[in-house]
PDB file of all heavy atoms in Angstrom:
ATOM      1  N   GLY A1064      -9.297  -6.974  24.112  1.00 95.00           N
ATOM      2  CA  GLY A1064      -8.901  -6.764  22.696  1.00 95.00           C
ATOM      3  C   GLY A1064      -8.533  -5.332  22.394  1.00 95.00           C
ATOM      4  O   GLY A1064      -8.483  -4.518  23.287  1.00 95.00           O
ATOM      5  N   GLN A1065      -8.258  -4.998  21.169  1.00 97.00           N
ATOM      6  CA  GLN A1065      -7.799  -3.793  20.814  1.00 97.00           C
ATOM      7  C   GLN A1065      -8.745  -3.158  19.683  1.00 97.00           C
ATOM      8  O   GLN A1065      -9.234  -3.939  18.827  1.00 97.00           O
ATOM      9  CB  GLN A1065      -6.426  -3.894  20.169  1.00 97.00           C
ATOM     10  CG  GLN A1065      -5.666  -2.504  19.907  1.00 97.00           C
ATOM     11  CD  GLN A1065      -4.271  -2.747  19.487  1.00 97.00           C
ATOM     12  OE1 GLN A1065      -3.463  -1.759  19.575  1.00 97.00           O
ATOM     13  NE2 GLN A1065      -3.813  -3.910  18.995  1.00 97.00           N
ATOM     14  N   ALA A1066      -9.105  -1.867  19.796  1.00 98.00           N
ATOM     15  CA  ALA A1066      -9.993  -1.351  18.924  1.00 98.00           C
ATOM     16  C   ALA A1066      -9.279  -0.899  17.543  1.00 98.00           C
ATOM     17  O   ALA A1066      -8.966   0.228  17.335  1.00 98.00           O
ATOM     18  CB  ALA A1066     -10.679  -0.127  19.424  1.00 98.00           C
ATOM     19  N   ILE A1067      -9.158  -1.936  16.668  1.00 98.00           N
ATOM     20  CA  ILE A1067      -8.579  -1.632  15.340  1.00 98.00           C
ATOM     21  C   ILE A1067      -9.292  -2.424  14.266  1.00 98.00           C
ATOM     22  O   ILE A1067     -10.184  -3.201  14.571  1.00 98.00           O
ATOM     23  CB  ILE A1067      -7.033  -2.093  15.349  1.00 98.00           C
ATOM     24  CG1 ILE A1067      -6.890  -3.570  15.641  1.00 98.00           C
ATOM     25  CG2 ILE A1067      -6.228  -1.285  16.393  1.00 98.00           C
ATOM     26  CD1 ILE A1067      -5.459  -4.107  15.452  1.00 98.00           C
ATOM     27  N   ASP A1068      -8.984  -2.261  13.116  1.00 98.00           N
ATOM     28  CA  ASP A1068      -9.414  -3.093  11.966  1.00 98.00           C
ATOM     29  C   ASP A1068     -10.955  -3.004  11.679  1.00 98.00           C
ATOM     30  O   ASP A1068     -11.575  -4.029  11.777  1.00 98.00           O
ATOM     31  CB  ASP A1068      -8.925  -4.599  12.080  1.00 98.00           C
ATOM     32  CG  ASP A1068      -7.484  -4.702  12.067  1.00 98.00           C
ATOM     33  OD1 ASP A1068      -6.820  -3.707  11.817  1.00 98.00           O
ATOM     34  OD2 ASP A1068      -6.989  -5.831  12.312  1.00 98.00           O
ATOM     35  N   PRO A1069     -11.455  -1.835  11.455  1.00 98.00           N
ATOM     36  CA  PRO A1069     -12.913  -1.803  11.228  1.00 98.00           C
ATOM     37  C   PRO A1069     -13.290  -2.163   9.794  1.00 98.00           C
ATOM     38  O   PRO A1069     -12.456  -2.089   8.971  1.00 98.00           O
ATOM     39  CB  PRO A1069     -13.219  -0.228  11.446  1.00 98.00           C
ATOM     40  CG  PRO A1069     -11.941   0.360  11.000  1.00 98.00           C
ATOM     41  CD  PRO A1069     -10.787  -0.531  11.482  1.00 98.00           C
ATOM     42  N   MET A1070     -14.427  -2.682   9.655  1.00 98.00           N
ATOM     43  CA  MET A1070     -14.979  -2.832   8.300  1.00 98.00           C
ATOM     44  C   MET A1070     -16.502  -2.793   8.453  1.00 98.00           C
ATOM     45  O   MET A1070     -17.125  -3.044   9.470  1.00 98.00           O
ATOM     46  CB  MET A1070     -14.659  -4.205   7.621  1.00 98.00           C
ATOM     47  CG  MET A1070     -15.264  -5.441   8.109  1.00 98.00           C
ATOM     48  SD  MET A1070     -17.000  -5.884   7.444  1.00 98.00           S
ATOM     49  CE  MET A1070     -16.602  -5.822   5.721  1.00 98.00           C
ATOM     50  N   VAL A1071     -17.141  -2.297   7.406  1.00 98.00           N
ATOM     51  CA  VAL A1071     -18.636  -2.226   7.405  1.00 98.00           C
ATOM     52  C   VAL A1071     -19.234  -3.052   6.255  1.00 98.00           C
ATOM     53  O   VAL A1071     -18.788  -3.076   5.066  1.00 98.00           O
ATOM     54  CB  VAL A1071     -18.984  -0.782   7.182  1.00 98.00           C
ATOM     55  CG1 VAL A1071     -20.555  -0.599   6.842  1.00 98.00           C
ATOM     56  CG2 VAL A1071     -18.724   0.110   8.474  1.00 98.00           C
ATOM     57  N   PHE A1072     -20.232  -3.904   6.742  1.00 98.00           N
ATOM     58  CA  PHE A1072     -20.935  -4.663   5.830  1.00 98.00           C
ATOM     59  C   PHE A1072     -22.440  -4.116   5.765  1.00 98.00           C
ATOM     60  O   PHE A1072     -23.075  -3.957   6.655  1.00 98.00           O
ATOM     61  CB  PHE A1072     -21.021  -6.193   6.263  1.00 98.00           C
ATOM     62  CG  PHE A1072     -22.124  -6.994   5.678  1.00 98.00           C
ATOM     63  CD1 PHE A1072     -22.076  -7.332   4.292  1.00 98.00           C
ATOM     64  CD2 PHE A1072     -23.206  -7.462   6.341  1.00 98.00           C
ATOM     65  CE1 PHE A1072     -23.094  -8.141   3.747  1.00 98.00           C
ATOM     66  CE2 PHE A1072     -24.142  -8.167   5.789  1.00 98.00           C
ATOM     67  CZ  PHE A1072     -24.195  -8.563   4.495  1.00 98.00           C
ATOM     68  N   THR A1073     -22.886  -3.896   4.493  1.00 98.00           N
ATOM     69  CA  THR A1073     -24.208  -3.444   4.215  1.00 98.00           C
ATOM     70  C   THR A1073     -25.037  -4.513   3.657  1.00 98.00           C
ATOM     71  O   THR A1073     -24.698  -5.067   2.494  1.00 98.00           O
ATOM     72  CB  THR A1073     -24.222  -2.194   3.310  1.00 98.00           C
ATOM     73  OG1 THR A1073     -23.476  -1.091   3.974  1.00 98.00           O
ATOM     74  CG2 THR A1073     -25.621  -1.712   3.154  1.00 98.00           C
ATOM     75  N   ASP A1074     -26.089  -5.043   4.428  1.00 98.00           N
ATOM     76  CA  ASP A1074     -26.872  -6.131   3.943  1.00 98.00           C
ATOM     77  C   ASP A1074     -27.742  -5.704   2.729  1.00 98.00           C
ATOM     78  O   ASP A1074     -27.935  -4.497   2.397  1.00 98.00           O
ATOM     79  CB  ASP A1074     -27.624  -6.705   5.100  1.00 98.00           C
ATOM     80  CG  ASP A1074     -27.881  -8.183   4.946  1.00 98.00           C
ATOM     81  OD1 ASP A1074     -27.732  -8.695   3.825  1.00 98.00           O
ATOM     82  OD2 ASP A1074     -28.279  -8.791   5.968  1.00 98.00           O
ATOM     83  N   ASP A1075     -28.516  -6.726   2.269  1.00 97.00           N
ATOM     84  CA  ASP A1075     -29.274  -6.515   1.101  1.00 97.00           C
ATOM     85  C   ASP A1075     -30.481  -5.433   1.437  1.00 97.00           C
ATOM     86  O   ASP A1075     -31.180  -4.834   0.427  1.00 97.00           O
ATOM     87  CB  ASP A1075     -29.970  -7.808   0.527  1.00 97.00           C
ATOM     88  CG  ASP A1075     -28.937  -8.742   0.040  1.00 97.00           C
ATOM     89  OD1 ASP A1075     -27.772  -8.252  -0.258  1.00 97.00           O
ATOM     90  OD2 ASP A1075     -29.180  -9.902  -0.254  1.00 97.00           O
ATOM     91  N   ASP A1076     -30.887  -5.361   2.745  1.00 97.00           N
ATOM     92  CA  ASP A1076     -31.961  -4.572   3.076  1.00 97.00           C
ATOM     93  C   ASP A1076     -31.557  -3.071   3.407  1.00 97.00           C
ATOM     94  O   ASP A1076     -32.255  -2.247   3.821  1.00 97.00           O
ATOM     95  CB  ASP A1076     -32.733  -5.066   4.478  1.00 97.00           C
ATOM     96  CG  ASP A1076     -31.754  -5.226   5.532  1.00 97.00           C
ATOM     97  OD1 ASP A1076     -30.582  -4.871   5.484  1.00 97.00           O
ATOM     98  OD2 ASP A1076     -32.231  -5.702   6.584  1.00 97.00           O
ATOM     99  N   GLY A1077     -30.208  -2.847   3.102  1.00 97.00           N
ATOM    100  CA  GLY A1077     -29.612  -1.528   3.338  1.00 97.00           C
ATOM    101  C   GLY A1077     -29.144  -1.238   4.683  1.00 97.00           C
ATOM    102  O   GLY A1077     -28.602  -0.103   5.053  1.00 97.00           O
ATOM    103  N   VAL A1078     -29.283  -2.134   5.603  1.00 98.00           N
ATOM    104  CA  VAL A1078     -28.778  -1.913   7.020  1.00 98.00           C
ATOM    105  C   VAL A1078     -27.324  -2.230   7.037  1.00 98.00           C
ATOM    106  O   VAL A1078     -26.799  -3.216   6.431  1.00 98.00           O
ATOM    107  CB  VAL A1078     -29.541  -2.842   7.980  1.00 98.00           C
ATOM    108  CG1 VAL A1078     -28.887  -2.697   9.414  1.00 98.00           C
ATOM    109  CG2 VAL A1078     -31.065  -2.485   8.010  1.00 98.00           C
ATOM    110  N   SER A1079     -26.527  -1.328   7.641  1.00 98.00           N
ATOM    111  CA  SER A1079     -25.078  -1.554   7.773  1.00 98.00           C
ATOM    112  C   SER A1079     -24.633  -1.948   9.184  1.00 98.00           C
ATOM    113  O   SER A1079     -25.187  -1.493  10.225  1.00 98.00           O
ATOM    114  CB  SER A1079     -24.311  -0.230   7.311  1.00 98.00           C
ATOM    115  OG  SER A1079     -24.628   0.073   6.068  1.00 98.00           O
ATOM    116  N   TYR A1080     -23.580  -2.782   9.208  1.00 99.00           N
ATOM    117  CA  TYR A1080     -23.010  -3.319  10.449  1.00 99.00           C
ATOM    118  C   TYR A1080     -21.484  -3.056  10.516  1.00 99.00           C
ATOM    119  O   TYR A1080     -20.831  -3.229   9.572  1.00 99.00           O
ATOM    120  CB  TYR A1080     -23.258  -4.817  10.528  1.00 99.00           C
ATOM    121  CG  TYR A1080     -24.731  -5.151  10.440  1.00 99.00           C
ATOM    122  CD1 TYR A1080     -25.390  -5.274   9.161  1.00 99.00           C
ATOM    123  CD2 TYR A1080     -25.433  -5.394  11.661  1.00 99.00           C
ATOM    124  CE1 TYR A1080     -26.761  -5.698   9.164  1.00 99.00           C
ATOM    125  CE2 TYR A1080     -26.705  -5.709  11.463  1.00 99.00           C
ATOM    126  CZ  TYR A1080     -27.437  -5.889  10.316  1.00 99.00           C
ATOM    127  OH  TYR A1080     -28.752  -6.189  10.241  1.00 99.00           O
ATOM    128  N   LEU A1081     -21.004  -2.542  11.670  1.00 99.00           N
ATOM    129  CA  LEU A1081     -19.621  -2.308  11.893  1.00 99.00           C
ATOM    130  C   LEU A1081     -19.040  -3.591  12.712  1.00 99.00           C
ATOM    131  O   LEU A1081     -19.534  -3.905  13.675  1.00 99.00           O
ATOM    132  CB  LEU A1081     -19.431  -1.003  12.697  1.00 99.00           C
ATOM    133  CG  LEU A1081     -17.997  -0.741  13.270  1.00 99.00           C
ATOM    134  CD1 LEU A1081     -17.222  -0.368  12.027  1.00 99.00           C
ATOM    135  CD2 LEU A1081     -18.037   0.355  14.282  1.00 99.00           C
TER     136      LEU A1081
END
Side-chain angles (χ1 to χ4, degrees):
Q1065 189 172 201
I1067 63 172
D1068 296 355
M1070 78 83 53
V1071 168
F1072 162 68
T1073 300
D1074 209 345
D1075 294 347
D1076 60 3
V1078 175
S1079 296
Y1080 301 83
L1081 174 68

